[in-house]
Amino acid sequence: MRKLRVLSLSLITVLGLTLLCSFGLKDAAAADDTAAADTAETPNYWENQTYDTSLTGSEFVEVGRSDKMQLLLNPSTGTIRWLDTATGIYQDTNMANDEGLASKTNAEQSDVIVRYFSGSKNANKLYWNTSQYDSYSMAASRGQLYYQKLDNGVRIVYLLGDDSTTYKNFPPRISDERMQEYVMQYLDVSQQEILKSRYTQLSSGDWIRGFGGGENGAQNRLGTMAMEEIYNIFYVIGKYTDELLQEDLQTWEAKPEDYPSNLKLYVPVEYYLDGDELVVNVDTTMIETEKDNPINSIQMLPYFLNSSATKEAEDGYMFIPDGSGALIYLDSTKTKEYHYRGTYYGGDKLTNAKTYSSVDNKLQLPVFGMKTSEHTIFGVIENGAEIATLDAYISGTDNSEPFCKMGLSFEIQAQQILSSGASNASGAFNLYKATDDVYDENITLRYFWLGRDTGYVQMAQCYADYLEEKGVLTEKAKEEDPPFFVEFLGTTDKTQYLLGIPYDGTQALTTFKQAKQILEDVTSQGVKNVKLIYSGIVNGGINQRSLANKVKFAPGLGGSSDFNALKTYADSIGTMIYPNLLLQTANTKAKLSNELVAWNIINEKAQIYKFDHIKHQIDEDNEFPLYIINPNALASYLLKAKASYTSQLGLNNIASEDLYTFIGTNYGEGQVSPSTGADKLKEAVSQFADGMSLMLSNPIVDAYEYSDYIMDVPVEHSGMRVLDASVPFMGMVLDGHLQYSAESSNRESTDVFLNIMHAIESNAQPKFTLMYENSSLLTGTEQEHYFAVDYSYWKDQIGFYYNEYRNFYDKTKDAKIVDHEIVDRNDKLRVVTYSNGVKAYFNYSDLDETLDGVTVPAFSYLVQ
């Protein structure tokens, strides 16, 4: 991110650079980037802009209007009010004007909270510590809000910072030699006495500050006049300077938070109506900060979506796109669970990759929302989802705040902390390193006002319409026969023994002839429209190696002739074969080449680690490390793999369990931030998808436009205890646009019927995972947790499950979900209504239940 620099008058002499008025801000930033010397600072752009002086006072004034909505501004607090003109109901972007709170914190009255890197560059600790400014205490309360009118909205420029003198402007300790040389010799007797009343000289000769900071700091604070007096002694009468202060702080190893800061940050945020929708936008290239204090992260509107502070048990919920979709009720009492946190798209895989996490709660749809007793607001992250984190708190958890809230933070410049594992007198030694390439795109949030009698069903419909408008989704009729998604396991690695000596070997789980036999069997049972996902048939099998050299069949499957026989039979029965490949990652013992692999922030080849959930640590001794393909090399890697794949297999169908499931980054040579990685991934996949039929595994929403089918769509949430209910939000978005399967019903579970019930509730097709050989062969392999995949076990049941699903499919294939109800907030009882009037009743409990007059047996469902 290019940053224009704020001038510190006490430290910087501004050279005579003239910024032409015809320059746009990005031109000015580009000019700044070309400056040769660090001493040549760019003049402050925002300080020299023209602002609307008519926007003053403490009353709300109109800054935008549409057919249904009005946008108001309170100039004194910077609060934006989004108001429904038909009902008079509104939502404020912060709580500064909330009469339900007797007292308010600075954060509650803020729209922006900026975290920046602080500390001493001279002490080589620039990335050791972070500090933060909130827009109330560091801008609004100081009268440092500036306004520019926009078309149907307003731009607020937040000047965050305070350049007033504090105790941090004076050395906590200084040698007698330096005190005499730079201060004492210039003072008369009375001034020396004043100085001695503020500093104590030790027997060693050193002088110790007696005010601010330290154990007695709270009891020895100086008032404004006293602070000015001591400042005058040091810096005006004496010859002490900011540079000398930095030297003394470094000499005495002051903590980063004890360094003074005259830092000022300019953060411009646009608020405007686009139709009835509220858009909030930050162009990160327009944020101004000093070069030594880059931005770490930004919280946007942390108190915009919150429940009432006066209603103890408000009806409603926070919607989170966790897994299939999840709800946290506004009257939740799960205070011991503290709060929900999830990163969109799984976050940056290369930072803190070794940090243990008990759940995988990446959010693949860049959305969020809240339903209260008065209205429903649904939000979409239009730009910046790849760096976004969602936090949701229930009442009483975050600083005992008496309301629920949810907010977003965006990581502008990532930092990783690496522990050496060693200990010294101060404890473990940690290394702190930040990325060089940073996020330099817009952060754009779009909010939809859905009114009072709406909820997550309308949110899903709203988002589906939004994706259609963007061209990401297109309405498609469902296929005549229900698809049967089935995954065959090909080969895997397994240690073999010769005369008691171990060696690396492979093991065939389902050969091409056996795959053909399974297809013949299921076809004889009436199964049609099979989508065959064939995993582990190339380059080493399921623990697939790199595709950089050539795509070739794994040994033991039968070779090209058997594969061609399988294809011929598949074509004759209308089965599509989708070999399942790793395309953004590769397993290999020998590691990938330096150019092909991504490098993490601490100069290691980047891996995606597996976690030991018993030891709560990563498995660094994994036999087959999973390396990440460098996004700089991804486009050429995919095109080369595509050419070899189509030539070797004679197919244009391909499945991938990792492509577009995350945004690749790189922090080695040719650094790639998440924003750059998103662009590179889109370009690579658009070229790869040309002429191909893709089936992707629960990918990021941007991949939908390149996908013919989606597999492994989650039908429940991640299981975090703070979540109250799962809802089929993702299924409702995809329904009518793409055919999609649920996650495998049997791969890691024998509760197949319940899993199929969940799939039906989400309008997803069930999926099975099978291997022809006995699953005992998986013992001692990376796949030994696949314990329910024996084809022999399911052979006589597959036809039953397919026909079970077909009965539902035939009744609903031409309809969409128009309502979804969790009966009396009992997560085990659900009713789904379709656009053709069909209703499905689901009972996941162990007792028979009556739903809307319909008796549903335990662990079963009915469709009427």
Side-chain angles (χ1 to χ4, degrees):
M1 181 178 68
R2 298 181 292 267
K3 297 176 283 293
L4 298 178
R5 301 164 183 168
V6 179
L7 304 185
S8 176
L9 297 180
S10 63
L11 296 176
I12 301 171
T13 301
V14 179
L15 300 183
L17 297 179
T18 302
L19 180 64
L20 298 178
C21 296
S22 60
F23 274 18
L25 183 64
K26 291 185 179 180
D27 296 323
D32 179 59
D33 288 341
T34 61
D38 288 341
T39 55
E41 300 289 339
T42 301
N44 188 332
Y45 176 83
W46 289 112
E47 187 173 303
N48 298 310
Q49 291 301 292
T50 301
Y51 298 101
D52 194 319
T53 56
S54 67
L55 295 175
T56 59
S58 58
E59 300 296 324
F60 281 93
V61 295
E62 182 179 301
V63 292
R65 178 179 285 270
S66 64
D67 291 341
K68 299 179 181 179
M69 306 301 294
Q70 187 180 20
L71 202 63
L72 305 171
L73 165 70
N74 185 319
S76 64
T77 62
T79 307
I80 296 291
R81 176 166 291 177
W82 192 26
L83 184 144
D84 181 352
T85 55
T87 63
I89 296 173
Y90 60 84
Q91 189 72 13
D92 288 349
T93 55
N94 62 55
M95 305 185 77
N97 299 277
D98 192 322
E99 297 179 356
L101 287 177
S103 60
K104 305 178 184 71
T105 65
N106 293 335
E108 289 167 352
Q109 301 177 81
S110 296
D111 287 319
V112 176
I113 299 176
V114 178
R115 184 170 293 278
Y116 60 91
F117 290 109
S118 56
S120 168
K121 183 179 180 182
N122 292 332
N124 197 28
K125 294 179 179 178
L126 175 61
Y127 301 119
W128 180 18
N129 197 54
T130 58
S131 301
Q132 72 178 31
Y133 283 164
D134 66 80
S135 64
Y136 175 75
S137 67
M138 303 305 285
S141 67
R142 301 172 185 275
Q144 296 173 180
L145 300 177
Y146 304 97
Y147 303 107
Q148 293 178 328
K149 287 186 177 179
L150 303 174
D151 183 17
N152 223 20
V154 65
R155 176 186 292 120
I156 303 179
V157 179
Y158 301 90
L159 170 53
L160 307 172
D162 178 17
D163 58 3
S164 60
T165 301
T166 70
Y167 71 89
K168 295 181 181 181
N169 292 98
F170 307 97
R173 184 167 184 157
I174 182 173
S175 68
D176 184 57
E177 180 183 2
R178 288 169 69 86
M179 180 70 89
Q180 297 296 332
E181 180 180 359
Y182 296 112
V183 182
M184 197 67 76
Q185 67 168 313
Y186 300 102
L187 307 179
D188 61 27
V189 175
S190 61
Q191 292 164 342
Q192 290 179 2
E193 291 302 316
I194 294 173
L195 179 60
K196 290 177 182 179
S197 69
R198 304 302 183 190
Y199 273 80
T200 301
Q201 189 171 21
L202 304 178
S203 58
S204 63
D206 296 339
W207 296 78
I208 300 296
R209 188 182 66 204
F211 59 93
E215 295 181 359
N216 298 317
Q219 290 78 31
N220 294 283
R221 293 176 178 169
L222 297 185
T224 302
M225 292 184 64
M227 194 69 75
E228 291 177 355
E229 183 178 51
I230 197 70
Y231 183 89
N232 190 55
I233 288 174
F234 265 82
Y235 291 94
V236 179
I237 301 173
K239 303 302 179 183
Y240 200 70
T241 66
D242 290 308
E243 289 78 7
L244 293 172
L245 174 63
Q246 295 291 320
E247 293 174 4
D248 284 327
L249 291 170
Q250 182 178 355
T251 297
W252 300 109
E253 298 182 348
K255 296 179 180 179
E257 59 267 26
D258 289 332
Y259 280 73
S261 175
N262 292 323
L263 176 66
K264 291 184 179 180
L265 304 175
Y266 284 85
V267 182
V269 183
E270 298 171 350
Y271 303 86
Y272 60 89
L273 292 178
D274 182 8
D276 295 323
E277 300 153 16
L278 171 61
V279 178
V280 181
N281 182 68
V282 179
D283 183 345
T284 61
T285 64
M286 298 176 74
I287 296 174
E288 295 185 14
T289 180
E290 291 183 9
K291 64 177 182 179
D292 290 342
N293 296 102
I295 304 300
N296 172 231
S297 65
I298 299 176
Q299 290 184 54
M300 294 297 301
L301 306 187
Y303 288 86
F304 181 38
L305 295 187
N306 55 269
S307 63
S308 172
T310 60
K311 297 179 181 178
E312 292 185 5
E314 183 174 11
D315 186 34
Y317 48 77
M318 295 179 282
F319 164 72
I320 296 168
D322 177 290
S324 63
L327 308 179
I328 299 177
Y329 294 124
L330 299 185
D331 60 357
S332 172
T333 58
K334 298 179 180 179
T335 55
K336 291 184 179 180
E337 307 305 334
Y338 190 56
H339 88 295
Y340 176 92
R341 164 164 279 209
T343 55
Y344 288 91
Y345 310 159
D348 189 341
K349 295 293 185 184
L350 304 195
T351 58
N352 300 316
K354 298 181 182 181
T355 301
Y356 173 77
S357 176
S358 60
V359 294
D360 180 13
N361 61 336
K362 61 185 178 184
L363 317 176
Q364 298 296 71
L365 300 179
V367 297
F368 54 96
M370 179 177 284
K371 175 180 175 58
T372 69
S373 57
E374 293 190 330
H375 55 59
T376 297
I377 294 177
F378 175 61
V380 176
I381 308 174
E382 285 197 334
N383 294 299
E386 61 267 32
I387 59 167
T389 296
L390 176 67
D391 288 285
Y393 294 84
I394 61 177
S395 178
T397 55
D398 191 22
N399 296 318
S400 300
E401 290 176 329
F403 50 82
C404 298
K405 65 177 181 180
M406 60 193 315
L408 297 165
S409 58
F410 298 85
E411 189 171 54
I412 303 300
Q413 185 170 11
Q415 177 182 228
Q416 184 167 350
I417 303 173
L418 174 66
S419 176
S420 66
S423 298
N424 52 31
S426 302
F429 176 73
N430 292 328
L431 298 176
Y432 298 76
K433 187 174 181 181
T435 62
D436 292 333
D437 189 21
V438 298
Y439 185 81
D440 60 357
E441 304 291 338
N442 283 11
I443 296 171
T444 309
L445 309 178
R446 182 177 294 268
Y447 294 93
F448 297 83
W449 187 278
L450 301 183
R452 184 191 295 268
D453 298 322
T454 58
Y456 56 85
V457 174
Q458 289 71 32
M459 292 183 193
Q461 293 169 347
C462 176
Y463 191 50
D465 291 343
Y466 172 87
L467 293 178
E468 281 188 38
E469 184 179 339
K470 296 292 183 182
V472 176
L473 287 179
T474 304
E475 282 204 26
K476 297 177 184 176
K478 291 184 179 178
E479 298 172 9
E480 182 64 25
D481 293 309
F484 177 66
F485 288 80
V486 60
E487 177 188 21
F488 291 173
L489 302 181
T491 66
T492 188
D493 298 275
K494 187 169 185 177
T495 301
Q496 307 287 1
Y497 294 88
L498 178 63
L499 300 177
I501 300 173
Y503 67 94
D504 293 338
T506 60
Q507 189 162 246
L509 309 175
T510 309
T511 66
F512 296 142
K513 287 183 178 180
Q514 291 168 340
K516 181 173 177 289
Q517 181 63 55
I518 296 175
L519 285 182
E520 291 173 348
D521 290 347
V522 299
T523 301
S524 68
Q525 297 180 45
V527 177
K528 299 181 179 180
N529 197 12
V530 177
K531 312 298 181 187
L532 171 53
I533 306 155
Y534 212 155
S535 298
I537 66 171
V538 302
N539 294 53
I542 297 177
N543 304 318
Q544 182 200 296
R545 317 305 199 263
S546 166
L547 305 176
N549 295 324
K550 184 181 180 181
V551 176
K552 54 187 177 182
F553 286 123
L557 293 173
S560 297
S561 60
D562 289 337
F563 185 71
N564 289 332
L566 172 63
K567 284 197 303 179
T568 300
Y569 180 73
D571 289 341
S572 72
I573 61 172
T575 289
M576 301 178 71
I577 301 177
Y578 283 86
N580 187 18
L581 275 63
L582 295 175
L583 296 173
Q584 271 187 265
T585 59
N587 290 279
T588 175
K589 289 183 176 181
K591 301 183 180 181
L592 297 178
S593 68
N594 290 349
E595 296 75 24
L596 190 57
V597 72
W599 291 79
N600 66 21
I601 199 170
I602 52 178
N603 203 35
E604 296 175 337
K605 288 189 174 183
Q607 298 181 43
I608 296 177
Y609 294 94
K610 294 182 179 179
F611 290 92
D612 186 322
H613 295 295
I614 297 176
K615 297 180 180 179
H616 287 193
Q617 63 186 28
I618 63 168
D619 180 9
E620 292 197 74
D621 297 324
N622 192 298
E623 189 174 6
F624 296 97
L626 185 61
Y627 291 96
I628 299 174
I629 305 299
N630 192 324
N632 291 311
L634 185 63
S636 60
Y637 177 77
L638 290 182
L639 288 178
K640 188 174 182 179
K642 175 182 176 180
S644 180
Y645 173 87
T646 54
S647 173
Q648 178 72 13
L649 276 67
L651 288 174
N652 292 323
N653 308 325
I654 191 167
S656 178
E657 63 188 70
D658 69 342
L659 186 63
Y660 238 133
T661 59
F662 66 95
I663 302 292
T665 53
N666 176 57
Y667 299 117
E669 184 177 352
Q671 289 205 2
V672 177
S673 67
S675 60
T676 307
D679 293 338
K680 287 182 176 292
L681 179 59
K682 186 178 182 69
E683 179 183 0
V685 174
S686 64
Q687 295 175 13
F688 180 77
D690 186 27
M692 301 289 285
S693 175
L694 299 187
M695 181 190 294
L696 302 182
S697 175
N698 189 26
I700 293 166
V701 66
D702 293 344
Y704 290 171
E705 63 180 298
Y706 305 109
S707 306
D708 290 295
Y709 298 95
I710 300 293
M711 59 180 175
D712 303 325
V713 171
V715 293
E716 295 185 272
H717 60 58
S718 64
M720 290 187 70
R721 289 191 295 268
V722 72
L723 301 174
D724 291 310
S726 61
V727 295
F729 182 91
M730 184 177 289
M732 289 188 285
V733 171
L734 289 171
D735 190 33
H737 302 96
L738 286 169
Q739 297 275 104
Y740 54 98
S741 86
E743 295 168 302
S744 178
S745 297
N746 69 304
R747 191 167 75 178
E748 298 179 29
S749 172
T750 55
D751 292 330
V752 171
F753 191 78
L754 283 181
N755 291 336
I756 290 177
M757 281 177 59
H758 282 296
I760 290 174
E761 183 191 350
S762 299
N763 252 8
Q765 282 81 50
K767 174 188 172 187
F768 276 81
T769 298
L770 304 173
M771 58 178 283
Y772 194 88
E773 301 293 346
N774 192 291
S775 61
S776 63
L777 295 179
L778 297 177
T779 302
T781 72
E782 293 288 312
Q783 292 74 41
E784 63 182 352
H785 57 291
Y786 296 3
F787 60 87
V789 294
D790 298 71
Y791 169 61
S792 60
Y793 181 84
W794 301 107
K795 178 179 179 179
D796 297 328
Q797 302 180 55
I798 287 176
F800 165 78
Y801 287 122
Y802 181 76
N803 289 321
E804 177 81 19
Y805 180 74
R806 178 165 202 142
N807 291 332
F808 164 79
Y809 186 85
D810 289 343
K811 294 177 181 178
T812 61
K813 68 181 178 183
D814 297 324
K816 291 184 178 181
I817 295 175
V818 293
D819 193 27
H820 183 277
E821 178 188 1
I822 300 173
V823 180
D824 297 328
R825 292 198 353 187
N826 184 338
D827 199 33
K828 296 183 178 181
L829 307 177
R830 283 125 183 281
V831 178
V832 183
T833 305
Y834 300 86
S835 55
N836 61 357
V838 171
K839 282 194 173 185
Y841 304 87
F842 296 87
N843 178 12
Y844 295 101
S845 74
D846 57 1
L847 298 173
D848 293 355
E849 296 285 352
T850 300
L851 308 177
D852 291 345
V854 177
T855 300
V856 185
F859 300 119
S860 188
Y861 73 101
L862 293 175
V863 180
Q864 294 186 348

